[in-house]
Amino acid sequence: MKKEEKTTIKDDIEEIGRVANVITKAWGANTLSALTDMQLGPGQAAAAADMDFPSDAKYIIAAMPVLTSPAGNTANEPVTAKFTLQSKSTGMGLGDCTFLAQPIGSSLLKAVCAMQGPCEDVIYPIFAPIPTGAKLKIYATGLFDHTIEPFAGIVLWLTDGDLSKLFPGRFPQRHYVVGTFTNSGVAAAEVTGSKLSFAGARRILEVGGFCVGTTVAALKGLMPKFRLTSSDLTVMQDIEGFLNPSSGQVDTNIQEANAGVTRFPISVPVKTPANLTDKLALQVAITTTGNFVLQVCYI
């Protein structure tokens, strides 16, 4: 596949698979623990543990977080979490590697079907080399203090191919940072979150995030427009876009339809260290507040 024809991480995985072996490895599932970092274990609610790599694995190609509501939603609670990969080994410079799972919208009835975007929409390119004998810590962290904790797991794509030799300069390592889960307010007006801060970046390759409701109100959908602004963006000023909207409903007993994490590919140089201010403006006023969070991918 020619470089200019590449469109998705699935294309990358297919291309790597033509010259090297590619497997998937799953870790978790474990229940979250309020708003604290919860280290995942090997499965079936096993205790937290570091993940060993196969002895011949040379690169993490990608990661896909998985999140599910255990017994139906508690009234007025969205199900949300972020995931972090953390190296336990010298020489495995993962750096910033925190990203969002697909959220589940809030509801007033546990009996209502949970609406959630496909997990395949949040396959995140990583392209991190794996040193010999490396171990990995994987954390899941709730963004909302859930009454009934959700389950969290993750899938990693691994290869025995040395990408730096097979594709010189083709797959630079990706890093991800996530902002703070911030109240959207109820007005059709802009609110400011916390800064997204990171160092060592040359270029931002992706921005996105999601906005979810809390208390469900009839006929009140979410139409969220985000903006990232900073003097550290060296060209073309602010980055803007719409997060996936959540349509309003006729009855408060209907599940909030949530289209999941929005991801926009971009390419813009950035100073280092960088501080980006995240902002969100609801385009239509709502009755009760929601929450939003943004994320950035950089190289």
Side-chain angles (χ1 to χ4, degrees), residues 73-79 104-107 144-148 213-215:
N73 291 19
T74 299
N76 302 322
E77 291 186 6
V79 177
I104 301 173
S106 55
S107 167
F144 193 95
D145 192 359
H146 308 98
T147 300
I148 302 175
T214 49
T215 303

Side-chain angles (χ1 to χ4, degrees), residues 137-160:
K137 292 181 180 292
I138 303 174
Y139 295 95
T141 310
L143 301 177
F144 193 95
D145 192 359
H146 308 98
T147 300
I148 302 175
E149 295 291 2
F151 290 103
I154 198 167
V155 176
L156 300 179
W157 278 259
L158 309 176
T159 181
D160 60 358

Side-chain angles (χ1 to χ4, degrees), residues 5 11 25 50 55 61 63 75-76 81 109 121 123 133 150 155 163 166 170 173 175 179 203 223 253 261 277 284 288:
E5 294 175 344
D11 296 325
K25 185 176 179 67
D50 298 340
S55 59
I61 300 174
N76 302 322
L109 291 181
D121 288 351
I123 299 177
V155 176
L163 300 186
L166 295 172
R170 172 75 171 79
Q173 185 174 338
H175 302 280
R203 184 168 290 269
M223 184 63 170
N253 288 335
V261 175
T277 299
V284 179
T288 53

Side-chain angles (χ1 to χ4, degrees), residues 43-56:
Q44 290 80 47
D50 298 340
M51 193 190 83
D52 293 311
F53 292 101
S55 59
D56 50 354

Side-chain angles (χ1 to χ4, degrees), residues 61-219:
I61 300 174
M64 182 185 77
V66 178
L67 183 69
T68 185
S69 179
N73 291 19
T74 299
N76 302 322
E77 291 186 6
V79 177
T80 60
K82 62 182 180 181
F83 287 67
T84 300
L85 306 185
Q86 187 179 101
S87 171
K88 194 188 174 185
S89 307
T90 302
M92 194 183 175
L94 276 171
D96 294 323
C97 200
T98 299
F99 38 79
L100 297 170
Q102 291 284 36
I104 301 173
S106 55
S107 167
L108 289 183
L109 291 181
K110 288 186 178 182
V112 176
C113 177
M115 301 293 290
Q116 187 177 32
C119 289
E120 287 189 356
D121 288 351
V122 286
I123 299 177
Y124 295 101
I126 305 293
F127 305 130
I130 303 170
T132 301
K135 293 179 181 289
L136 188 67
K137 292 181 180 292
I138 303 174
Y139 295 95
T141 310
L143 301 177
F144 193 95
D145 192 359
H146 308 98
T147 300
I148 302 175
E149 295 291 2
F151 290 103
I154 198 167
V155 176
L156 300 179
W157 278 259
L158 309 176
T159 181
D160 60 358
D162 186 339
L163 300 186
S164 66
K165 295 179 180 179
L166 295 172
F167 304 93
R170 172 75 171 79
F171 297 117
Q173 185 174 338
R174 265 62 161 182
H175 302 280
Y176 297 85
V177 290
V178 171
T180 301
F181 199 54
T182 302
N183 193 293
S184 68
V186 297
E190 191 171 70
V191 298
T192 301
S194 61
K195 292 183 183 298
L196 284 80
S197 300
F198 46 95
R202 295 181 286 113
R203 184 168 290 269
I204 297 175
L205 297 186
E206 180 181 293
V207 295
F210 62 76
C211 185
V212 289
T214 49
T215 303
V216 178
L219 302 176

